[in-house]
Every structure is written in C-alpha cells, then in structure tokens.
Amino acid sequence: MSWYLLLRFLHILSSIVFIGGIFARQAVRSRGKKATSIRELEAYFSAAGQIEKLMVIPGNMAVIVFGVILAIMMKAPIFGFLQGASQNWLLVTNLMLVAGGLMVPLVFLPRGKIFDRLMQDALGRDEITSELRSHLDDAVVKRAHFLEMFLVVVIVILMVFKPF
C-alpha cells in the first residue's frame, strides 16, 4: 500500500465523519426543537453538542489536513488560476471551506453563547422559556446551518467531478 492511497483513504474517511456529523447534528437539533420539556430539550441539544465535538470538529480538521497533504503530494492546483493553473475547482473548494469556517466565529459561537445562557436560565426555571423558544427559531442560525450543509454538498460535487 502506498502513502498516497493511505492518505486518500483517510481524507475520504474524515469527510464521511465530518459530513455525517453535520447532518446528524442537524437531525438531532431539529428533533430537539420539538421538545415539550426543558429536560428533553437539554438532552437533544447535549447530544447535538457531542456530535459536534466528536464528529464535526475533528472531522473538519482531518479533512483539511489530509486534503492539503494530498494536494501537495499530487501537485494539485490549490490556488487555481492564481498559480497559473487551468483548473480552479480546488480553489473554489478552498474558498467555500473558508466561507464555512468564518460562520463559526461570526454566527455559531456568539449565538451559541446566547443559547447557553438562555438554556441555563430555562433549566433554573424548569421550563422552556419564551426567550429560549424564540432563540431556537433564530433565522440567522437557521440560514447559517443551511448554508453549511449546502456548502459541503457542493464541495463533494466539486471533489468528485472536478468540473473546471
């Protein structure tokens, strides 16, 4: 077995973990939003947090690390036309990864802190508060998660078909 095949396998495996984690986390969060008790809501969102910690974050890091190593090994045009290459699918993929990554400090972390505070307040009251319920329907977070899922699907399409 060659190093190339091993790295390619690890890149694909980490992609599966990362993408599976994103969709699993969203399925759990979606179900959690339908909870009728604060304890049930807490359990679902705790599970979604575990999926984030065990699959999404490490999967994302591994995809990037193995992808960069593979690209360097294959002398792939990471920067596309910026490095004089005729193929730009990898450049577009990298820009999409950066865009997706920017959602973490700009949307997910600040809104997550608000959610955590509202969840603690609701747990203290032993009820799903109106503020927490309202935050669960945050349009910005919904759009950001939809964009995240859309981006990973487009990235997979670009990786498989290498259209341009």
Side-chain angles (χ1 to χ4, degrees):
M1 175 173 30
S2 69
W3 281 109
Y4 168 76
L5 288 177
L6 177 61
L7 284 169
R8 187 173 168 195
F9 169 76
L10 291 172
H11 182 60
I12 292 168
L13 181 63
S14 58
S15 298
I16 292 167
V17 170
F18 172 53
I19 295 167
I22 286 174
F23 283 90
R25 179 197 63 206
Q26 289 313 108
V28 170
R29 289 181 80 242
S30 176
R31 180 64 186 105
K33 288 179 183 182
K34 297 174 185 167
T36 57
S37 78
I38 188 62
R39 300 296 169 200
E40 182 184 10
L41 180 68
E42 178 191 30
Y44 276 111
F45 275 79
S46 177
Q50 285 298 104
I51 293 168
E52 178 82 17
K53 289 176 189 164
L54 296 174
M55 295 178 73
V56 177
I57 295 170
N60 186 25
M61 293 301 123
V63 165
I64 292 169
V65 168
F66 293 132
V68 168
I69 294 170
L70 272 174
I72 291 168
M73 282 179 71
M74 296 171 30
K75 297 182 180 20
I78 296 173
F79 301 109
F81 75 93
L82 298 173
Q83 68 186 70
S86 60
Q87 291 184 327
N88 292 297
W89 62 270
L90 195 49
L91 171 63
V92 172
T93 297
N94 290 329
L95 292 173
M96 292 175 123
L97 281 170
V98 169
L102 286 174
M103 288 190 295
V104 173
L106 297 176
V107 176
F108 298 135
L109 289 178
R111 306 258 176 168
K113 287 180 183 178
I114 295 168
F115 173 80
D116 290 342
R117 183 176 45 79
L118 294 172
M119 177 64 84
Q120 290 309 310
D121 179 54
L123 286 166
R125 294 181 187 194
D126 200 31
E127 67 178 354
I128 300 174
T129 62
S130 59
E131 295 87 4
L132 179 58
R133 184 65 69 194
S134 176
H135 190 74
L136 290 173
D137 294 326
D138 185 339
V140 173
V141 173
K142 279 183 183 180
R143 280 188 234 122
H145 281 300
F146 175 80
L147 179 59
E148 179 183 47
M149 291 184 291
F150 175 78
L151 287 174
V152 297
V153 169
V154 172
I155 288 169
V156 168
I157 290 168
L158 290 172
M159 289 290 185
V160 170
F161 296 106
K162 301 171 180 45
F164 50 87

